[in-house]
Amino acid sequence: MSTNAPTTTTPWWQAMFTTPMLLSGLMGFASGLPLLLTLSTLQAWMKDSKVSLATIGLTAFIGLPYTLKFLWAPLIDRYQLPIGVQGRRRSWLVLTQILLILAIVALANSSPTVNLWGTACAALVLAFFSATQDIVVDAYRRESLKDVEQGLGSAMYVNGYRVGMLLAGGGALALADAIGFQKMYWVMAVAMSAGVLTTLFAPEPDTEASVPKSLQEAVVQPFVEFFTRPGATLTLLFILLYKLGDTLAGAITTPFYMDLGFSKTEIGAVVKLWGFWATLVGGTIGGILILRFGVARTLFWFGVGQMLSTFGFVLLAHTGHNLPMLASVIAFENFTGGMGTAVFVGFMGSLTDKRFTATQYALLSSLMGVPRVILSAPMGFFASAWGWPTYFVFCTLIALPGLYLALKAKSWLQQEKTA
């Protein structure tokens, strides 16, 4: 089957409401909900508790499980847990989601004012179980969807993820203003129960014949299988570069908006709320286009859209404080970003061998996070030295190597199909 322009007998408006697609969205919500509870929402709680800014900065280390998750992913590929839930993926999901709820409750019962280390440890445990849930959800989505459905399924997942993040971010902070942070975390624990209900009603993917026969096979073979493919190194380089310009541009946009004279209220309304809906629309339309034209073709053109949207910040830098211009740039940037994320997630899923889905996807998604976690760190120095227009021109041009490599995506996907 060609990866360039796949065909499907199911129209996109029907495909969006099939059980696997709806499950992708619901599981995306369950994955997105815990993330900000250990990041910006936790930082707001610490700031409210008079914790020093230097200490709050150190909470970035709480996110380490998300970049190291490939280390324990082989266990999830190898074993089914004996907990009375049918299926390898479902057993891990149910246990992980129950432990996630308990971790959120533990965080709710802590206090940065009374015991900062206790709060930090509870948050780290929460991040570990959240990263583990991500491993299983990614594997479940890959194994439940046909190759032609990966893009649309990824779009549904990303949209659900964004809704979960919205609830745990802006929604949680608004709730904390009304009832306090500890009670808010209790509410988030209840909301997380939606993930358990989703898993209990979800069917198990039919992959039992491909389960690794030993832990050694589960640990070694995923890496051997991937790195013996033609072009494996270029594939990993592409994953590192594809969203690099988009990520670096977004790393320090809030100081950029403030330098242009936009108020916090304007930034919150336009960048957060308006941008959220633009991302959802972009992800949905992107998924439909992926279903129609395939991952390989849309990967390149969505990347072009991401690059053009980054150049929009250059125009905004020259325009200055102009609310309609800000809304236009944010809408285009989030719209193309939603499309690019949907196809990128689908591409990584299509690359994985179904015998080692959890381990290989965890490796690829960990690499995807490197620009956000590591490469974004020194960007403030560059922006200060060059000025905003030159900095965003740099972010635009740095997308070109990823676009060049995107032209090879079709051959990588075809190699996976014939492996």
Side-chain angles (χ1 to χ4, degrees):
M1 182 186 299
S2 170
T3 57
N4 189 42
T7 58
T8 175
T9 56
T10 305
W12 65 263
W13 61 86
Q14 294 181 18
M16 288 180 64
F17 297 100
T18 60
T19 298
M21 294 298 172
L22 293 176
L23 287 174
S24 294
L26 291 170
M27 289 187 176
F29 172 82
S31 290
L33 179 65
L35 180 63
L36 294 186
L37 296 181
T38 61
L39 294 175
S40 59
T41 300
L42 178 63
Q43 291 170 359
W45 190 11
M46 289 184 171
K47 181 68 175 176
D48 195 58
S49 301
K50 311 301 181 185
V51 176
S52 70
L53 187 60
T55 302
I56 292 175
L58 293 176
T59 60
F61 288 112
I62 292 173
L64 279 176
Y66 293 102
T67 60
L68 299 175
K69 59 187 178 181
F70 63 90
L71 295 176
W72 62 93
L75 296 172
I76 295 170
D77 267 336
R78 172 64 184 94
Y79 297 111
Q80 174 179 331
L81 299 177
I83 61 171
V85 177
Q86 182 183 8
R88 182 174 44 140
R89 300 307 185 200
R90 292 176 71 247
S91 65
W92 276 101
L93 265 179
V94 167
L95 178 63
T96 301
Q97 289 166 339
I98 291 174
L99 292 174
L100 259 174
I101 293 172
L102 295 177
I104 298 173
V105 169
L107 189 56
N109 288 332
S110 70
S111 171
T113 305
V114 176
N115 185 352
L116 181 59
W117 280 106
T119 299
C121 288
L124 183 62
V125 171
L126 173 56
F128 173 79
F129 289 128
S130 176
T132 304
Q133 179 187 226
D134 288 350
I135 296 171
V136 193
V137 167
D138 290 335
Y140 183 96
R141 188 179 67 255
R142 169 65 176 114
E143 294 164 354
S144 298
L145 300 173
K146 302 173 184 178
D147 285 347
V148 72
E149 297 172 330
Q150 289 296 319
L152 182 58
S154 297
M156 297 291 285
Y157 167 80
V158 170
N159 284 351
Y161 199 96
R162 294 285 183 177
V163 173
M165 288 180 64
L166 182 66
L167 176 61
L173 292 178
L175 196 59
D177 271 343
I179 62 175
F181 278 96
Q182 290 183 311
K183 290 181 180 178
M184 176 275 294
Y185 272 97
W186 273 98
V187 174
M188 294 298 115
V190 173
M192 190 63 220
S193 63
V196 180
L197 293 175
T198 299
T199 302
L200 291 176
F201 285 99
E204 177 72 12
D206 185 17
T207 58
E208 293 305 314
S210 63
V211 177
K213 296 178 176 58
S214 66
L215 183 57
Q216 180 181 8
E217 181 181 343
V219 172
V220 176
Q221 284 302 114
F223 299 96
V224 171
E225 190 280 331
F226 186 87
F227 284 102
T228 53
R229 299 179 193 175
T233 303
L234 280 180
T235 305
L236 293 179
L237 183 62
F238 168 71
I239 289 172
L240 183 66
L241 294 177
Y242 181 67
K243 289 186 73 69
L244 181 59
D246 184 59
T247 301
L248 295 184
I252 51 174
T253 49
T254 299
F256 167 60
Y257 302 140
M258 296 177 72
D259 277 352
L260 294 183
F262 292 103
S263 68
K264 295 181 180 65
T265 301
E266 289 172 332
I267 294 172
V270 177
V271 178
K272 302 300 182 183
L273 189 58
W274 176 242
F276 166 79
W277 289 109
T279 302
L280 252 59
V281 173
T284 302
I285 293 178
I288 295 168
L289 294 175
I290 296 165
L291 191 66
R292 173 64 181 87
F293 297 106
V295 170
R297 184 183 297 180
T298 52
L299 197 65
F300 175 78
W301 289 111
F302 291 0
V304 171
Q306 287 181 158
M307 185 178 71
L308 293 176
S309 71
T310 301
F311 187 74
F313 290 112
V314 179
L315 302 179
L316 182 61
H318 287 291
T319 304
H321 185 276
N322 185 315
L323 206 55
M325 185 65 178
L326 175 66
S328 300
V329 170
I330 291 302
F332 188 43
E333 196 273 336
N334 281 268
F335 180 80
T336 57
M339 298 174 80
T341 300
V343 71
F344 197 32
V345 170
F347 170 73
M348 290 192 297
S350 298
L351 285 179
T352 59
D353 187 315
K354 285 193 175 182
R355 294 172 297 171
F356 320 110
T357 310
T359 302
Q360 288 186 344
Y361 198 101
L363 172 66
L364 297 176
S365 59
S366 294
L367 185 63
M368 175 187 175
V370 168
R372 174 178 57 84
V373 176
I374 298 174
L375 299 183
S376 295
M379 289 303 108
F381 296 101
F382 293 133
S384 297
W386 299 341
W388 289 116
T390 303
Y391 174 73
F392 287 119
V393 168
F394 164 76
C395 292
T396 301
L397 295 178
I398 206 172
L400 289 173
L403 283 178
Y404 171 74
L405 291 175
L407 296 173
K408 300 179 179 293
K410 182 180 178 181
S411 64
W412 296 331
L413 292 170
Q414 286 175 337
Q415 288 164 8
E416 169 58 20
K417 284 179 176 293
T418 57

